[in-house]
């Protein structure tokens, strides 16, 4: 993409009321636009990153047998009354709305109810199980504190998967499979080292649920971590009783601030009982379906990456989610020699399938470099009168700041090999 064509511009200042580092940088670099506290639009660069995060999650969900759908954001009050969660004191983050005839509707905060009701039309026999259904969908939550930028939106994208199993054993197997798929996702996104599978409160059907907590000062949660065993326990359940039930002692656990990037939950028969989601087992008896729910916030992940991978100059995207893999920065001369050269180079690189952002704007070198640092594309190629004279390209690594002179063929080879 030609940068002169991109409608967004970088800016020196973030909105004054913005306190989080992720939103400040993402707004300044033109990835997102703030509409309200906790409500952000994704702009071309931001959407490219979000879609890459989504792409990694989708691959891993498909690998474990997930089938993708999109459920509706407008939800039927009656469906929610089935479990008692329409009540604002039971679920305190509701956004509700009305039809012209005053029929009340909810804006989806989550989709357990809706999907359980839907699956009644499709699950009748043990032959219809197991089923794993997931979506990427906008959730609406009237969060009280929305100070963490895209890490806590009032409108945000969630990947939510729901499992429908015939018995506890097959549920437990899938739960374990999802746990591993989640670990692969966070590792692929460069957060593996700091993301812990964390024991958290389990609700009524299992003793614990598992949260995936990424250690960062920007997080709103607190966990206790034992670095040696890699065991982590959410502060909310870090009690003598929990430690005893897990056969652990307090020693070695250190408190850390973290953000919940994912969550997996055994639901038992809570929803299937409420909706009468039963099936006929192979022995002819009627049984309730055993369910689980598994969430990840792609926007929260994107915000977490920015919090962890940035410096005083701007963002440093890991290659997997970078909006473009290469930033071609041309420093134009008066005679257009550099422009002609850089245009042709840009065309060749894009034709080879490389994702290139080409800074073809008539800006000063200093401004171009500052913008490139802020936007944070991992690799940069600088073309100038001087590099053309020397018959080289100047190659710069955003993370290390290292600069080398290479040929176009070397650039192609290097980029083809790069994985991070
Ligand atoms: P939190 O305790 O941080 O509010 P939650 O327990 O409400 O999170 P879930 O309902 O389990 O979160 O949602 C599944 C996933 O969706 C979370 O693990 C997180 O990644 C993401 N998520 C939840 N709330 C938000 C939000 N307000 N903005 C962005 N992502 C969110
Ligand atoms: Mg919440």
């Amino acid at each position: 993409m030609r940068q002169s064509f991109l409608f967004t511009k970088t800016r020196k200042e973030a909105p004054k009321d913005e306190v989080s580092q992720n939103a400040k940088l993402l707004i300044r670099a033109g990835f997102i636009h703030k509409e309200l506290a906790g409500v952000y639009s994704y702009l071309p660069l931001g959407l490219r990153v979000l879609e890459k995060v989504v792409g990694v999650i989708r691959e891993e969900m498909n690998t474990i047998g997930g089938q993708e759908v999109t459920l509706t954001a407008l939800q039927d009050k009656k469906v929610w009354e089935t479990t008692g969660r329409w009540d604002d004191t039971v679920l305190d983050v509701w956004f509700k709305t009305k039809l012209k005839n005053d029929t009340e509707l909810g804006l989806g905060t989550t989709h357990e109810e809706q999907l359980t009701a839907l699956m009644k039309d499709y699950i009748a026999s043990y032959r219809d199980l197991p089923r794993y259904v997931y979506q990427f969908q906008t959730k609406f939550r009237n969060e009280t504190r929305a100070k963490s930028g895209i890490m806590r939106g009032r409108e945000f994208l969630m990947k939510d998967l729901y499992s429908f199993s015939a018995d506890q054993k097959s549920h437990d197997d899938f739960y374990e499979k999802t746990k591993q798929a989640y670990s692969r996702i966070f590792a692929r996104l460069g957060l593996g080292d700091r993301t812990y599978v964390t024991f958290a409160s389990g609700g009524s059907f299992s003793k614990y649920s598992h949260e995936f907590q990424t250690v960062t000062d920007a997080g709103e949660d607190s966990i206790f971590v034992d670095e040696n065993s890699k065991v982590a326990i959410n502060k909310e359940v870090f009690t003598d009783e929990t430690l005893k039930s897990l056969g652990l002692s307090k020693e070695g656990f250190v408190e850390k601030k973290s953000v919940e990037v994912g969550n997996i939950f055994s639901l038992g028969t809570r929803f299937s009982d409420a909706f009468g989601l039963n099936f006929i087992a192979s022995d002819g008896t009627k049984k309730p379906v055993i369910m689980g729910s598994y969430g990840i916030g792609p926007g929260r992940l994107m915000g977490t990456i920015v919090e962890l991978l940035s410096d005083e100059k701007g963002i440093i995207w890991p290659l997997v989610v970078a909006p473009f893999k290469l930033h071609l920065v041309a420093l134009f001369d008066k005679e257009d020699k550099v422009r002609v050269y850089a245009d042709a180079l840009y065309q060749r690189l894009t034709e080879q399938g490389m994702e290139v952002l080409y800074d073809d704007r008539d800006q000063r070198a200093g401004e171009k470099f500052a913008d490139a640092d802020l936007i944070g594309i991992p690799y940069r190629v600088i073309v100038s009168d001087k590099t053309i004279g020397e018959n080289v390209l100047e190659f710069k690594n955003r993370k290390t700041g290292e600069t080398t002179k290479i040929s176009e063929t070397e650039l192609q080879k290097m980029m083809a090999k790069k994985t991070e």
Side-chain angles (χ1 to χ4, degrees), residues 129-344:
L129 295 171
R131 291 289 183 263
Y132 313 119
V133 181
Y134 77 98
Q135 61 175 343
F136 290 93
Q137 211 239 19
T138 302
K139 303 286 191 250
F140 297 89
R141 293 187 183 178
N142 204 341
E143 305 271 5
T144 20
R145 292 162 298 124
K147 291 198 163 71
S148 296
I150 58 169
M151 291 165 78
R152 184 172 295 285
R154 292 191 161 114
E155 173 179 336
F156 64 95
L157 193 66
M158 192 196 286
K159 185 287 298 173
D160 40 337
L161 182 145
Y162 304 88
S163 64
F164 301 86
S165 306
D167 55 51
Q168 195 59 40
K169 164 84 172 64
S170 96
H171 168 79
D172 292 346
D173 287 349
F174 183 73
Y175 189 91
E176 213 40 54
K177 249 190 184 175
T178 319
K179 204 190 276 173
Q180 283 157 21
Y182 271 37
S183 295
R184 288 196 298 274
I185 290 167
F186 302 123
R188 286 176 65 180
L189 296 176
L191 300 173
D193 294 349
R194 2 173 106 243
T195 303
Y196 295 87
V197 184
T198 306
F199 290 97
S201 67
S204 42
F205 278 92
S206 65
K207 197 150 174 91
Y208 302 108
S209 69
H210 292 90
E211 292 172 345
F212 289 77
Q213 294 274 1
T214 304
V215 171
T216 165
D217 283 335
E220 296 176 24
D221 289 5
S222 290
I223 58 171
F224 283 87
V225 181
D226 177 9
E227 275 304 338
N228 289 318
S229 61
K230 301 281 170 205
V231 173
I233 303 173
N234 193 309
K235 190 177 186 174
E236 289 169 359
V237 297
F238 191 72
T239 60
D240 288 337
E241 195 207 316
T242 299
L243 286 163
K244 207 176 136 204
S245 77
L246 297 173
L248 301 165
S249 76
K250 253 198 177 86
E251 253 150 274
F253 279 97
V254 179
E255 185 171 352
K256 296 195 175 181
K257 287 193 77 181
S258 62
V259 57
E260 181 204 306
V261 288
N263 184 341
I264 62 177
F265 222 91
S266 289
L267 300 171
T269 55
R270 174 175 175 198
F271 291 90
S272 35
D273 285 341
F275 286 93
L277 177 63
N278 301 310
F279 68 99
I280 304 299
S282 50
D283 62 7
T285 58
K286 191 166 96 176
K287 290 183 172 159
V289 173
I290 299 189
M291 290 174 55
S293 77
Y294 314 80
I296 293 186
R300 181 174 286 187
L301 269 172
M302 178 172 159
T304 306
I305 290 170
V306 175
E307 293 284 343
L308 292 170
L309 305 174
S310 55
D311 60 17
E312 68 289 344
K313 293 184 191 145
I315 307 168
I316 308 169
W317 293 109
L319 198 62
V320 267
V321 297
F324 293 90
K325 299 205 186 307
L326 191 71
H327 204 159
L328 171 60
V329 179
L331 309 179
F332 296 140
D333 56 341
K334 290 216 178 60
E335 292 100 67
D336 267 2
K337 187 170 90 194
V338 178
R339 188 183 286 279
V340 170
Y341 179 95
D343 277 3

